[in-house]
Amino acid sequence: MAYSEAQKRATARYNARTYDRIEIKVPKGEKERISQAAQRQGKSLNAYIVSLIKQDLEGEDAENFRSHRDRVVLED
């Protein structure tokens, strides 16, 4: 079954409502390395990059929690 123009427009509207877009630039050749790393993990390039960002943010949240916890302990 062909992907109709109406389906394409509906998908584009859904994506515009649901997702923010971020464009990144990497040095020549790095895209291929990143794509291969994503394939090794069985992920799309987008899913791989998003998972790395989430991991970093979760680590940042954990570090902020530890820092706050340590300040509370020191202030008591």
Side-chain angles (χ1 to χ4, degrees):
M1 181 175 191
Y3 194 55
S4 73
E5 288 301 316
Q7 288 170 316
K8 289 178 187 177
R9 287 191 302 274
T11 299
R13 283 193 308 272
Y14 173 80
N15 286 338
R17 271 194 327 268
T18 308
Y19 301 107
D20 288 326
R21 293 189 56 84
I22 300 173
E23 181 180 340
I24 64 169
K25 294 179 175 116
V26 296
K28 289 282 184 188
E30 289 298 303
K31 180 180 176 185
E32 184 58 32
R33 289 184 63 210
I34 297 166
S35 293
Q36 289 172 359
Q39 282 181 335
R40 285 192 299 271
Q41 292 194 13
K43 296 180 180 178
S44 69
L45 181 59
N46 187 74
Y48 178 68
I49 292 169
V50 169
S51 70
L52 291 174
I53 292 168
K54 283 182 178 181
Q55 285 176 359
D56 185 64
L57 291 174
E58 289 168 359
E60 187 177 281
D61 290 344
E63 182 58 36
N64 288 339
F65 173 76
R66 282 191 295 275
S67 177
H68 175 72
R69 181 194 63 207
D70 293 346
R71 281 195 307 269
V72 170
V73 170
L74 292 174
E75 292 172 0
D76 285 346

